[in-house]
Amino acid sequence: MNHQLTLISLLFFTSAIAETFKNFDSHPQFPCKPPHFSSYPFCNVSLSIKQRAISLVSLLTLPEKIGQLSTTAASVPRLGIPPYEWWSESLHGLADNGPGVSFNGSISAATSFPQVIVSAASFNRTLWYEIGSAVAVEARAMYNGGQAGLTFWAPNINVFRDPRWGRGQETPGEDPKVVSEYGVEFVRGFQEKKKRKVLKRRFGSDNVDDDARYDDGKLMLSACCKHFTAYDLEKWGNFTRYDFNAVVTEQDMEDTYQPPFETCIRDGKASCLMCSYNAVNGVPACAQGDLLQKARVEWGFEGYITSDCDAVATIFEYQGYTKSPEEAVADAIKAGVDINCGTYMLRHTQSAVEQGKVSEELVDRALLNLFAVQLRLGLFDGDPRGGRYGKLGSNDICSSDHRKLALEAARQGIVLLKNDHKLLPLNKKHVSSLAIIGPMANNISNMGGTYTGKSCQRKTLFTELLEYVKKTSYASGCSDVSCVSDTGFGEAVAIAKGADFVIVVAGLDLSQETEDKDRVSLSLPGKQKDLVSSVAAVSKKPVILVLTGGGPVDVTFAKNDPRIGSIIWIGYPGETGGQALAEIIFGDFNPGGRLPITWYPESFTDVAMSDMHMRADSSRGYPGRTYRFYTGPQVYSFGTGLSYTKFDYKVISAPIRLSLSELLPQQSSHKKQLLQHGEEQPQYIQLDDVMVNSCESMRFNVLVNVRNTGEIDGSHVLMLFSKMPRVLSGVPEKQLIGFDRVHVRSNEMMETVFVIDPCKHLSVANDVGKRVIPLGIHALFLGDLQHSLSVEF
């Protein structure tokens, strides 16, 4: 951030950061060091986590307690407690955006996996889990080297609502189900302690203690679900993320904005939740007690709640929600915020307590949550080098296994959008020369997107394509991605004329979309469109257009231009992206990625980014958002993705009728009403009335055969959608209820099964935010197949 609050905050905790990192390039500091500091009850591993946390808090003075309320937590020398930095980043690999990770030590790099939006395009749950697990191993190894903490602020599970959002690239896309399941898999892979046999299989027996055993209470690392909630605007028009008030209906909150967070906590067991900058319906997110306490009380959250950086300060400084800094701090603590990224709590909590605006008991509550997480991480169990993960080190970072995983993620996430006349794959034996054109084609700096650290290898798209065709020439065409001048077009056109095949790399980089920067246009930046068209006009064969960037781009001109034969979206593919792209272009890998977002036309920029409504409203010319509710024209739809082979489906078994009478208790008034005949008979079942655990008994299977009828082996993403009967307002156009990625060899067949829970997959939120299951015909779609399911009572 570049605003005044950050400058003030940096002055306050620069010295603390220096103290925290003075032992980098050695090993981490830790409490409970023998012989002087190991006898405290909070060091006694035989006691429960709760007992140890209570004991620790009871020993602290109020100033010492307040010193723990910043992400750069102060030391307590008299108890042998060193400083601790809570803020580390691991969105798609270890990143040094926050002060908790440093590459200035014996470990100078970490594996850079594809940006999240690219990995999401694989629609592969196992891959998401494995990425989380691999990043966790590298994080623990860096912690052992004194170059990272154990508390990381990932994943970003905000729904990619508006195509202009600069941070949409950090998310798993626009579908709440996909976002939810990505969050669960990443968190589980990242913070769960694996069983010994799993660790040995993945990382070798030397890295795992023989007495390692599975323990649900302990954490390998701490993951954080962010940003809670309805956060997806950086800077647009007169709005900034620091002062924006997201006005959200109860209906949209229930079935779009909240499901990823509920799932990340309830199923993923995330140990951290970050509240966002924005206000929600007039109340700053970090002061909204009903939302934060809902996570703890209803969703079972056990962990700590952190503010986004300076988000406590914005309550007063930017949003004017309180009359003083003390009230802002008090409101945040009372709402349930345990720690402030920044210094606002450090500076104002003492006076807030003295003025009676917040009690010391509530400060204690915050500290209990903080210390409980640290205890679960083993921070008070003695020297971490003697612990379960103590042998992880530099050999476990940038390993061949992790590089292979990063490559596989890039391969699976790249999406083939157009392939006229089977232009791809190219046969390298028949390609005498290549021309590679575009400012991103020979630039490594933005390959990973936001929150990227120091990657293990630095190879560009151009250098990887050079491995396939030695006679390959390069011209940038534009000096940078902004492409404000056409002075480089002549060189690009010249090399295009002389090449056998031409690849143009166009699209976005972090100068166009990033944190604190939204886009104002969906078109290619500057004169990029002119560059593509100029090159296509002189090329001997149709051009291959490669698109970078996390947000959608209106490339209707390229989609409709026969001189552009293929379009490939690579997003921000990470350190192995060049190799993955080359393998796909030359047929060593068959693409199977699908778009996790709708690609809108440029005309969508007429829609106010500040309008949080998901549903379309024809009365005001509002087209809605995401594939679930958008009613306007599309460049490419959610789920678009081609292959070099062809797959056919067949539904082997699925029910045609589903009775929900067992969901409701016999004496339910709603059930009696449903059983009555007449015009006023309800047309849906309210899930509030459903008996506990009865949903599980109503689950059913949809069994599908998938056949690869082509000549190339390939993986394929199956996407099962439902379309509900329109018995109430706000029903989605369609919604994804199941997905699976399967690998099928040429001319072979395999079976896959979708397990459908009617309460989750066939329900929708009504206009007051209550989930209901519509009665009537639900149409299930799988590609061109349709299956009708009558949901009855």
Side-chain angles (χ1 to χ4, degrees), residues 88-91 93-98 100-103 450-454:
S88 294
E89 298 286 358
S90 62
L91 182 69
L94 298 180
D96 52 2
N97 298 69
V101 174
S102 171
F103 291 103
T450 57
Y451 288 84
T452 298
K454 305 295 188 294

Side-chain angles (χ1 to χ4, degrees), residues 410-597:
R411 287 167 172 164
Q412 292 194 24
I414 290 174
V415 181
L416 179 63
L417 295 171
K418 177 181 179 181
N419 197 27
D420 285 358
H421 310 295
K422 297 183 178 181
L423 174 63
L424 297 179
L426 302 182
N427 186 332
K428 58 186 174 184
K429 295 179 181 178
H430 299 156
V431 179
S432 60
S433 60
L434 273 179
I436 314 297
I437 295 166
M440 280 286 282
N442 201 28
N443 186 333
I444 191 63
S445 60
N446 284 331
M447 287 282 282
T450 57
Y451 288 84
T452 298
K454 305 295 188 294
S455 58
C456 304
Q457 68 164 26
R458 298 176 66 80
K459 292 186 177 181
T460 68
L461 304 178
F462 168 65
T463 55
E464 292 287 10
L465 287 163
L466 197 60
E467 295 291 322
Y468 280 80
V469 180
K470 295 305 178 184
K471 190 179 179 181
T472 296
S473 52
Y474 165 73
S476 64
C478 305
S479 60
D480 56 28
V481 169
S482 298
C483 198
V484 296
S485 170
D486 60 3
T487 55
F489 283 20
E491 181 187 7
V493 168
I495 70 166
K497 286 180 178 178
D500 196 4
F501 285 91
V502 178
I503 300 171
V504 181
V505 181
L508 311 173
D509 71 353
L510 299 187
S511 70
Q512 307 298 309
E513 53 172 4
T514 189
E515 186 168 0
D516 222 10
K517 183 180 180 65
D518 293 320
R519 288 192 287 159
V520 295
S521 171
L522 297 181
S523 299
L524 288 174
K527 298 179 180 294
Q528 282 194 34
K529 176 182 175 182
D530 296 336
L531 174 64
V532 175
S533 297
S534 297
V535 169
V538 301
S539 299
K540 298 174 184 177
K541 297 183 177 67
V543 162
I544 300 161
L545 176 61
V546 175
L547 297 173
T548 63
V553 182
D554 184 350
V555 288
T556 303
F557 79 96
K559 181 180 179 181
N560 297 333
D561 190 341
R563 299 171 304 175
I564 299 171
S566 296
I567 303 176
I568 305 172
W569 175 74
I570 64 171
Y572 297 107
E575 66 176 64
T576 58
Q579 182 179 345
L581 174 64
E583 288 181 355
I584 286 172
I585 287 177
F586 288 97
D588 289 339
F589 187 86
N590 188 354
R594 302 278 200 111
L595 290 181
I597 43 175

Side-chain angles (χ1 to χ4, degrees), residues 10 31 35 55 57 122 133 210 212 248-249 309 331 358 401 423 474 521 547-548 570 588 614 632 639 648 687 748:
L10 285 173
S55 170
V57 173
S122 72
S133 180
D210 287 338
V248 183
T249 68
C309 293
D331 281 3
V358 68
D401 282 350
L423 174 63
Y474 165 73
S521 171
L547 297 173
T548 63
I570 64 171
D588 289 339
M614 300 302 299
D648 288 340
L687 291 190
E748 291 190 2

Side-chain angles (χ1 to χ4, degrees), residues 46-96:
S46 67
L47 298 177
S48 69
I49 296 293
K50 183 177 181 180
Q51 288 173 315
R52 296 170 72 186
I54 291 173
S55 170
L56 176 49
V57 173
S58 71
L59 296 174
L60 300 177
T61 65
L62 180 58
E64 288 170 340
K65 292 174 181 178
I66 293 171
Q68 302 300 308
L69 297 179
S70 168
T71 43
T72 303
S75 62
V76 187
R78 67 184 183 86
L79 299 179
I81 298 175
Y84 179 76
E85 178 55 63
W86 288 85
W87 178 8
S88 294
E89 298 286 358
S90 62
L91 182 69
H92 55 105
L94 298 180
D96 52 2

Side-chain angles (χ1 to χ4, degrees), residues 200-451:
K200 285 198 172 189
R201 184 178 69 246
R202 279 185 52 80
F203 309 117
S205 59
D206 290 341
N207 296 332
V208 187
D209 291 344
D210 287 338
D211 63 351
R213 65 188 184 280
Y214 191 77
D215 183 350
D216 283 333
K218 295 287 188 176
L219 295 168
M220 180 177 182
L221 293 161
S222 172
C224 193
C225 303
K226 65 182 187 184
H227 311 81
F228 191 61
T229 186
Y231 165 63
D232 55 7
L233 180 148
E234 303 298 303
K235 188 180 294 182
W236 180 85
N238 295 323
F239 300 100
T240 73
R241 59 180 178 168
Y242 310 115
D243 57 22
F244 178 58
N245 176 33
V247 179
V248 183
T249 68
E250 293 175 317
Q251 189 174 35
D252 289 337
M253 186 70 81
E254 171 61 31
D255 73 0
T256 295
Y257 296 107
Q258 294 297 71
F261 290 98
E262 180 176 0
T263 308
C264 198
I265 289 167
R266 198 189 290 274
D267 298 334
K269 308 296 183 186
S271 54
C272 168
L273 183 63
M274 176 187 285
C275 56
S276 54
Y277 290 113
N278 57 286
V280 180
N281 296 328
V283 181
C286 291
Q288 192 141 159
D290 57 344
L291 283 176
L292 298 184
Q293 291 310 310
K294 182 174 185 175
R296 291 201 184 276
V297 176
E298 294 185 25
W299 301 346
F301 175 59
E302 295 181 355
Y304 73 99
I305 296 176
T306 180
S307 75
D308 204 341
C309 293
D310 282 334
V312 174
T314 61
I315 294 172
F316 171 69
E317 305 285 350
Y318 273 70
Q319 297 171 2
Y321 183 73
T322 62
K323 296 179 180 179
S324 69
E326 287 80 9
E327 288 181 2
V329 166
D331 281 3
I333 293 175
K334 287 188 285 189
V337 177
D338 299 313
I339 197 169
N340 168 217
C341 179
T343 62
Y344 224 59
M345 285 186 179
L346 287 182
R347 290 182 281 145
H348 302 296
T349 302
Q350 180 81 38
S351 55
V353 172
E354 291 171 353
Q355 294 173 24
K357 297 186 182 300
V358 68
S359 67
E360 187 172 352
E361 287 73 21
L362 286 178
V363 174
D364 290 350
R365 180 187 70 178
L367 264 61
L368 287 173
N369 292 329
L370 294 169
F371 286 129
V373 170
Q374 289 187 328
L375 286 160
R376 292 171 65 193
L377 287 163
L379 277 171
F380 290 83
D381 292 353
D383 192 338
R385 290 172 296 178
R388 185 180 306 189
Y389 303 104
K391 294 179 182 177
L392 290 172
S394 58
N395 290 337
D396 300 286
I397 296 181
C398 296
S399 66
S400 59
D401 282 350
H402 290 177
R403 187 183 183 282
K404 289 175 184 175
L405 181 61
L407 176 60
E408 188 62 25
R411 287 167 172 164
Q412 292 194 24
I414 290 174
V415 181
L416 179 63
L417 295 171
K418 177 181 179 181
N419 197 27
D420 285 358
H421 310 295
K422 297 183 178 181
L423 174 63
L424 297 179
L426 302 182
N427 186 332
K428 58 186 174 184
K429 295 179 181 178
H430 299 156
V431 179
S432 60
S433 60
L434 273 179
I436 314 297
I437 295 166
M440 280 286 282
N442 201 28
N443 186 333
I444 191 63
S445 60
N446 284 331
M447 287 282 282
T450 57
Y451 288 84

Side-chain angles (χ1 to χ4, degrees), residues 4-165:
Q4 184 179 4
L5 287 172
T6 301
L7 295 176
I8 294 172
S9 298
L10 285 173
L11 291 175
F12 271 82
F13 61 74
T14 297
S15 60
I17 291 174
E19 182 184 5
T20 303
F21 293 148
K22 64 185 178 183
N23 279 352
F24 263 16
D25 198 20
S26 55
H27 57 82
Q29 302 178 66
F30 60 93
C32 299
K33 282 185 179 179
H36 303 296
F37 300 109
S38 58
S39 60
Y40 293 107
F42 60 79
C43 298
N44 186 346
V45 296
S46 67
L47 298 177
S48 69
I49 296 293
K50 183 177 181 180
Q51 288 173 315
R52 296 170 72 186
I54 291 173
S55 170
L56 176 49
V57 173
S58 71
L59 296 174
L60 300 177
T61 65
L62 180 58
E64 288 170 340
K65 292 174 181 178
I66 293 171
Q68 302 300 308
L69 297 179
S70 168
T71 43
T72 303
S75 62
V76 187
R78 67 184 183 86
L79 299 179
I81 298 175
Y84 179 76
E85 178 55 63
W86 288 85
W87 178 8
S88 294
E89 298 286 358
S90 62
L91 182 69
H92 55 105
L94 298 180
D96 52 2
N97 298 69
V101 174
S102 171
F103 291 103
N104 297 322
S106 61
I107 299 170
S108 59
T111 307
S112 176
F113 292 91
Q115 180 60 287
V116 175
I117 196 72
V118 180
S119 294
S122 72
F123 287 86
N124 186 334
R125 296 176 182 84
T126 302
L127 182 69
W128 302 338
Y129 179 93
E130 291 293 327
I131 290 173
S133 180
V135 176
V137 166
E138 298 200 356
R140 263 284 176 173
M142 284 196 75
Y143 168 76
N144 290 342
Q147 293 180 237
L150 292 175
T151 45
F152 290 80
W153 291 352
N156 181 340
I157 54 169
N158 295 114
V159 169
F160 196 167
R161 172 191 64 99
D162 190 286
R164 293 161 286 190
W165 185 28

